[in-house]
């Protein structure tokens, strides 16, 4: 009886698996490509022989066939290449496994062994609280040895119904390793013309008619090795692609997007009450309340299953659940704004392609985010309802900026450029006051950092995430790296002016070794613009073929004020020095006013990225600017004062008293 | 203008032998700093500390008119200020106010903007002969024009005071005789006819006796020398129980140190760490027999002004009251080394807890 029950359970599991994946022969429509002969290269841990992707759009259910074949040459290759992972979404896709084999000494060894297969959740965006229902089939190949060729193929059947019959695909054409043979083939009904575009590659796609079908085909041999140089702007793709799309125009795509946000249900009583409450407020206040609610009271969580990968839930559901992702938050915000008589619309944006959207074919998979645009008081506002911790005043909310976006309205014929953020509106200003009571004892360093615009949003979020205590500890650690032995003199203060979107942090430290007395009895000191330093850091890879991303737009001011114990004659200082190029500027100035020596730097970004061709000169400009971050000086005859040691002892004693805090 | 009222240290100041060297402002640099930046205000502080500063190039009539209209709408006031054009009055008043701080050393402290960034305050500390003031200069961020000037020890800025004066002169709810009397009292205060002013002040209606213009004006006077001035301030303070820095000297003079402390608290928080403020806190706490708080404040003051003798003397007295022999001994060593101020055992015995100090191991190891 117990055995029977076990068998029943096992049978149920196999049945469940069978609904998600099956072992089937290779589909008849697939063209078989021979595996190329590749000479052994022991310099490489693995050699990729074949990448074959074939799509059939003529079937009742879309089919995407994949076959990969590679040789593992050594233990590293075995380590890295012996675990197969195939992702799919069982909500609308079925995985058909055809072959999983090892080829050893010319013999094919089957490795498609059912009990070696595991099906696990594959929520790649779970850390961002996005859940799609995707699964990952994993197979840990048994008995793989150096010299084996791993050869496997499978077909994904089905497509998310939200896209209906539309087809939109980015085929990879280059990788971090060379591939001996790469094949791409798309079979489509003649009634479904496809557009294509190559990205980062001059390629040719052949098109042949096969009865009622059209076959698009691309074949590559010995693909070059591509490298991502890092620190590239998100829109600069490091690898080549073939983009194919069935959308005939941006308008076609915008129409599809627009219908996603059509609400066909009546608002719930609860939602209606909220909308009515908003209507009772003055209009600007109501807009601010609606934005604040969408941003802060709807927690970010995406249940992006099936159609809800792109279609928002009804506003009443979002309001009741108090959670949602970007499209849900936008849906609710638009509902509220429209209830207030405000023209409001969703805007599809890409956090990757940003302003380069127009360089691509219209395609639904260009986009990964939705924001809200609305018109109020003769002005368009662009708001990202997924951003929390923004200002609570309309005029101070940092506008959403993604370069360009497609407004989800049927009449839209192209992506719309978004107003760029200005560097002088976003940044931080750090004032460091170094209070020196003599020329040998510790100094008090008071640091006030004022953040504004986007930087205020960022620090507000960071403080909320980590808590003030952890942030304070982090700051103390930082200054200890800069000035060993630094102690906290006063508790850090965090002040949030949300109305004007400003945030300030005040820290006070006791720094022991600011002064160094040299053999001639001179007190030496150095001021260093450590904050500016972070913006002038050269990239890790300096010889570049790819553009370099900038932290932009931003203006950063660092002012270090050394308050001396008495007036010191430093003589004259050079005028302000200017550095930079088309992508950044930096000014450096040393000045003196009574007892106060000031080292001031201002850094301003001028662009979001440096083109590849300009990176060499840019890095040189950074290096040049970096040479002017420090100012050092010495003050003579300080040890001659009779009270030199007595003052130092008293000051250290006073510090020890003050460290105990205000009584 | 606030004097450092530090009677206790004056008792000991005979020991003082050296002076903190005076700073001589350098010639203004030829570099034109970007307006309203910290560098600009540092440069301005140097210029203001020099001789005969002319603010005229900093004025801009349209910006000043706009600023005035925000303080008080144009429709609510006469087109002229006592038959003088407002533009001229406004500019002259600031120029005149600045001349009162000739020969002061100006130190730029900080800035912040307000009214959605349309205006900017730049704060300065002014010093001369032991006197300190905090002055706020108000600027248009659009035209970079100087609009107003405000001593933090006054309720009203220069333009605010003009406006207040003007609005009282035009206030229909007051009798013409009272309004006239108010103007006359102000005239007498300017002429330092304090006894006459005080007589008239008594007959003013409460509404006018309460005017902050009185406290602003009277707080500049030497209250020790005029019972009339003290009487007027006492009445004004009675009618205005909220603490304000313009009552600070009055409460000190009255030896009401708790009220004086509340007036210090009313200064902007950014000024609480200033030497002058900490010194005053230290004195007030000492007088109120809050030796721990006094020590905290005097330590702060010393860290900011280590070349003045007065804070060391007060530190010594506070350390003695706290029976902090180490602190007292270390302070005595600095007084000796830096200021050549030597205290004999007999001198020390005259001070509170002085006898205990000279018997302490800390003292004996250094001076025994």
């Amino acid at each position: 009886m117990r055995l029977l029950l076990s068998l029943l359970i096992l049978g149920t599991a196999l049945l469940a698996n069978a609904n998600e994946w099956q072992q089937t022969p290779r589909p008849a429509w697939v063209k078989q490509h021979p595996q190329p002969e590749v000479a052994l290269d022991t310099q490489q841990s693995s050699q990729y022989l074949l990448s074959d992707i074939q799509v059939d759009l003529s079937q009742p259910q879309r089919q995407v066939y994949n076959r990969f074949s590679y040789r593992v040459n050594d233990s590293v290759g075995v380590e890295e290449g012996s675990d197969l992972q195939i992702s799919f979404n069982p909500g609308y896709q079925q995985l058909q496994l055809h072959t999983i084999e090892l080829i050893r000494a010319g013999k094919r060894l089957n490795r498609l062994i059912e009990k070696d297969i595991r099906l696990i959740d594959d929520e790649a965006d779970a850390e961002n609280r996005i859940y799609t229902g995707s699964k990952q089939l994993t197979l840990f190949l048994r008995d793989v040895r150096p010299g084996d060729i791993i050869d496997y193929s499978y077909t994904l059947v089905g497509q998310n119904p939200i896209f209906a019959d539309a087809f939109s695909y980015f085929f990879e054409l280059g990788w971090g390793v060379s591939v001996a043979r790469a094949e791409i083939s798309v079979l489509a009904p003649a009634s479904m013309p496809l557009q294509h575009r190559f990205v980062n590659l001059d390629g040719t796609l052949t098109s042949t008619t096969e009865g009622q079908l059209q076959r698009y085909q691309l074949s590559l041999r010995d693909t070059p090795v591509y490298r991502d140089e890092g620190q590239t702007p998100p829109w600069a793709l490091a690898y080549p692609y073939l983009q194919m799309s069935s959308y005939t125009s941006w308008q076609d795509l915008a129409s599809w997007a627009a219908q996603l946000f059509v609400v066909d249900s009546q608002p719930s009583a609860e939602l209606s009450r909220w909308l009515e409450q908003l209507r009772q407020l003055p209009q600007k206040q109501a807009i601010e309340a609606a934005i604040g609610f969408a941003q802060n009271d709807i927690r970010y969580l995406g249940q992006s299953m099936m159609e809800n990968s792109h279609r928002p839930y009804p506003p009443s559901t979002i309001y009741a659940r108090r959670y949602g992702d970007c499209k849900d938050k936008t849906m609710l915000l638009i509902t509220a704004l429209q209830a207030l008589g405000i023209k409001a619309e969703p805007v599809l944006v890409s956090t990757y392609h940003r302003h380069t959207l127009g360089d691509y074919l219209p395609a639904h998979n260009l986009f990964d985010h939705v924001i809200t645009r609305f018109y109020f008081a003769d002005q368009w506002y662009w708001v990202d309802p997924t951003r929390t911790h923004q200002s609570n005043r309309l005029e101070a909310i940092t506008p959403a900026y993604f370069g360009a976006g497609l407004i989800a309205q049927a009449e839209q014929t192209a992506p719309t450029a978004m107003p760029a953020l200005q560097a002088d509106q976003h940044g931080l200003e750090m004032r460091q006051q170094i209070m020196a009571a003599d020329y040998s004892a510790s100094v008090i360093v008071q640091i006030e950092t004022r953040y504004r615009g986007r930087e205020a949003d960022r620090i507000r979020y960071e403080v909320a995430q980590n808590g003030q205590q952890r942030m304070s500890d982090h700051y103390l650690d930082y200054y200890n790296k800069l000035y060993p032995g630094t102690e906290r003199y006063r508790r850090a203060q965090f002040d949030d002016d949300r109305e004007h979107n400003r945030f300030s942090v005040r820290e006070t430290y006791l720094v022991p070794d600011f002064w160094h007395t040299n053999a001639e009895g001179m007190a030496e000191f150095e001021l260093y613009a450590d904050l500016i330093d972070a913006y002038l850091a050269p990239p890790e890879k300096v010889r570049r073929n790819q553009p370099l991303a900038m932290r932009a737009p931003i203006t950063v001011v660092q002012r270090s004020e050394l308050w001396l114990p008495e007036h010191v004659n430093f003589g004259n200082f050079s005028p302000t020095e200017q550095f930079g190029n088309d992508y950044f500027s930096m000014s450096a100035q040393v000045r003196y006013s009574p007892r106060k020596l000031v080292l001031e730097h201002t850094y301003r970004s001028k662009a979001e990225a440096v083109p590849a061709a300009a990176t060499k000169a840019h890095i040189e400009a950074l290096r040049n600017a970096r040479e002017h971050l420090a100012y050092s000086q010495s003050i003579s005859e300080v040890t001659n004062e009779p009270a030199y040691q007595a003052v130092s002892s008293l000051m250290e004693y006073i510090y020890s008293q003050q460290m105990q805090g205000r009584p | 203008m606030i004097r450092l009222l530090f009677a206790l240290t004056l008792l000991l100041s005979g020991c003082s032998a050296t002076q903190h060297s005076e700073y001589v402002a350098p010639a203004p640099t030829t570099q034109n700093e970007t307006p309203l930046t910290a560098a600009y205000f540092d440069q301005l502080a140097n210029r203001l500390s020099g001789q005969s500063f002319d603010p005229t190039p900093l004025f801009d009539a349209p910006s000043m008119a706009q600023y005035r209209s925000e303080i008080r709408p144009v429709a609510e006031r006469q087109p002229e200020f006592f038959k003088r054009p407002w533009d001229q009055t406004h500019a002259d008043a600031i120029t005149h106010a600045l001349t009162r701080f000739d020969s002061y050393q100006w130190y730029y402290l900080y800035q912040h903007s307000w009214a959605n960034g349309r205006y900017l305050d730049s704060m300065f500390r002014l010093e001369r002969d032991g006197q300190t003031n905090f002055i706020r200069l108000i600027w248009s961020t659009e035209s970079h024009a100087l609009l107003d000037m405000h001593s933090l020890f006054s309720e009203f800025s220069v333009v605010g005071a003009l406006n207040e004066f003007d609005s009282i002169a035009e206030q229909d709810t007051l009798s013409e005789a009272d309004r006239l009397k108010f103007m006359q009292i102000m005239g007498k205060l300017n002429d330092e006819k304090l006894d006459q002013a005080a007589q008239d002040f008594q007959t003013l209606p409460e509404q006018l006796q309460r005017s902050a213009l009185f406290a602003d004006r009277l707080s500049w006077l030497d209250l020790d020398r005029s019972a009339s001035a003290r009487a007027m301030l006492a009445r004004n303070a009675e009618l205005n129980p909220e603490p304000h820095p313009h009552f600070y000297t009055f409460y000190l003079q009255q030896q009401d140190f708790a009220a004086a402390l509340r007036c210090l608290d009313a200064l902007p928080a950014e000024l609480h760490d200033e030497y002058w403020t900490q010194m005053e806190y230290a004195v007030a706490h000492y007088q109120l027999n809050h030796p721990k708080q006094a020590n905290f404040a005097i330590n702060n003051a010393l860290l900011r002004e280590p070349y003045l003798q007065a804070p060391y003397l007060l530190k010594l007295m506070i350390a003695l009251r706290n029976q902090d022999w180490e602190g007292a001994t270390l302070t005595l060593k600095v007084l000796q080394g830096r200021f050549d101020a030597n205290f004999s055992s007999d001198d020390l015995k005259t001070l509170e807890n002085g006898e205990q100090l000279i018997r302490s191991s800390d003292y004996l190891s250094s001076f025994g």
Side-chain angles (χ1 to χ4, degrees), chain B residues 6 76 89 127 138 225 229 316 348 360 363:
Chain B
F6 186 24
E76 292 176 16
T89 305
E127 288 179 359
I138 299 149
R225 289 172 50 195
L316 172 63
L348 292 172
S360 70
Y363 180 82

Side-chain angles (χ1 to χ4, degrees), chain A residues 431 435 437 439 444 446 450 489-490 500 502 559 565-567 575-576 589 591-596 598 600 641-643 646-647 649-651 653-655 657-658 661-663, chain B residues 20 23 31 33 38-39 42 46 105 107-113 116 125 273 292-293 295-296 299-300 302-307 312 315 324 326-327 330-331 333-334 337-338:
Chain A
R431 180 189 185 200
M435 320 292 289
Y439 299 108
I444 296 172
Q446 290 180 349
R450 296 181 182 191
Y489 191 71
R490 286 187 194 165
H500 297 99
R502 290 179 196 145
R559 186 164 54 253
E566 60 182 336
H567 166 57
T576 306
Q589 185 191 46
R591 61 177 187 272
Y592 185 75
S593 55
R595 286 180 55 191
K596 184 173 70 171
V598 182
E600 181 165 333
E641 197 207 341
V647 172
S649 301
L650 176 61
M651 293 309 166
Y653 181 72
I654 285 175
Y655 289 136
Q657 288 190 327
Q658 298 305 83
R662 186 182 293 276
Chain B
H20 179 47
Y23 169 76
Q31 181 173 330
E33 302 293 354
D42 275 335
N46 280 340
Q105 180 64 53
Y107 297 83
Y108 166 65
L109 299 178
Y110 63 88
Q111 61 175 280
H112 65 81
S113 59
N116 287 324
R125 181 181 71 239
D273 281 344
K292 302 286 182 207
Q293 290 95 323
N295 188 54
F296 188 78
N299 282 349
N300 284 336
L302 264 177
L303 292 171
R304 280 158 184 76
E305 280 292 353
Y307 276 86
Y312 289 98
K315 170 72 182 172
D324 172 10
E326 186 180 359
L330 289 168
T331 306
K333 288 170 76 173
V334 177
R338 177 163 285 178

Side-chain angles (χ1 to χ4, degrees), chain B residues 103-315:
Chain B
S103 73
Y104 272 76
Q105 180 64 53
W106 289 62
Y107 297 83
Y108 166 65
L109 299 178
Y110 63 88
Q111 61 175 280
H112 65 81
S113 59
W114 48 284
N116 287 324
R118 282 180 294 128
Y119 300 114
L120 182 135
D121 287 350
S122 56
M123 189 68 76
F124 297 84
R125 181 181 71 239
L126 279 68
E127 288 179 359
R128 188 187 67 183
D129 302 334
Q131 295 181 333
T132 297
N133 206 323
F134 297 111
I135 296 288
R136 178 169 78 105
L137 296 182
I138 299 149
W139 306 81
S140 160
T141 53
E142 195 178 313
S143 67
H144 306 152
L146 175 61
L147 303 173
D148 203 354
M149 174 176 167
H150 181 202
S151 160
L152 272 286
F153 293 102
S154 298
E155 168 85 24
F156 293 110
S157 66
V158 168
V159 178
L162 285 175
N163 182 66
E164 179 68 4
F165 197 77
D166 187 57
S167 70
I168 288 174
E170 293 168 11
Q171 206 160 315
D172 295 339
T173 55
L174 293 164
S175 74
E176 201 171 327
D178 284 338
R179 284 184 273 161
L180 184 63
K181 196 186 296 172
F182 177 85
M183 314 286 161
Q184 288 168 341
I185 295 171
M186 284 295 166
K188 286 170 183 171
L189 290 178
N190 286 340
D191 297 339
E192 298 209 15
K193 295 174 180 169
L194 301 181
D195 295 341
Q196 290 178 30
Q199 275 184 351
D200 293 348
F201 180 84
Q202 285 175 3
T203 64
L204 276 180
E206 193 173 294
Q207 184 185 349
L208 286 175
Q209 286 180 328
R210 178 184 286 122
S211 171
L213 286 174
F214 281 118
D216 282 359
R217 182 67 189 81
L218 290 165
S219 65
W220 286 74
L221 301 174
D222 182 352
L223 296 180
D224 286 331
R225 289 172 50 195
S226 171
S228 298
R230 291 199 299 273
M232 283 185 278
L233 258 176
R235 175 64 178 154
N236 189 261
E238 181 190 349
L239 294 169
N240 294 289
E242 282 294 304
H244 189 284
H246 62 190
F247 291 126
Y248 178 65
T249 50
F250 170 71
Y251 287 126
L252 273 189
Q253 202 278 334
Q254 298 290 301
Q255 302 211 353
D256 183 349
F257 295 103
L261 276 180
R262 288 195 293 275
C263 292
L264 289 179
D265 289 342
L267 281 167
E270 292 93 336
L271 300 178
H272 286 187
D273 281 344
E274 285 289 313
Y275 162 75
W276 178 87
T277 321
Q278 290 296 321
M279 193 69 182
E280 299 297 315
Y281 271 122
V283 171
H285 281 301
Y286 183 83
Q287 294 286 17
L288 288 165
N289 200 21
H290 302 153
K292 302 286 182 207
Q293 290 95 323
N295 188 54
F296 188 78
I298 195 61
N299 282 349
N300 284 336
L302 264 177
L303 292 171
R304 280 158 184 76
E305 280 292 353
Y307 276 86
L308 293 181
Q309 189 183 20
Y312 289 98
L313 292 168
L314 184 55
K315 170 72 182 172

Side-chain angles (χ1 to χ4, degrees), chain A residues 19-41:
Chain A
N19 286 336
E20 292 165 339
W21 66 269
Q22 293 175 313
Q23 184 178 355
T24 65
R26 189 178 66 239
W29 59 268
V30 168
K31 277 193 173 179
Q32 181 74 335
H33 296 292
Q35 196 178 64
E37 290 293 326
V38 176
L40 177 68
D41 179 358

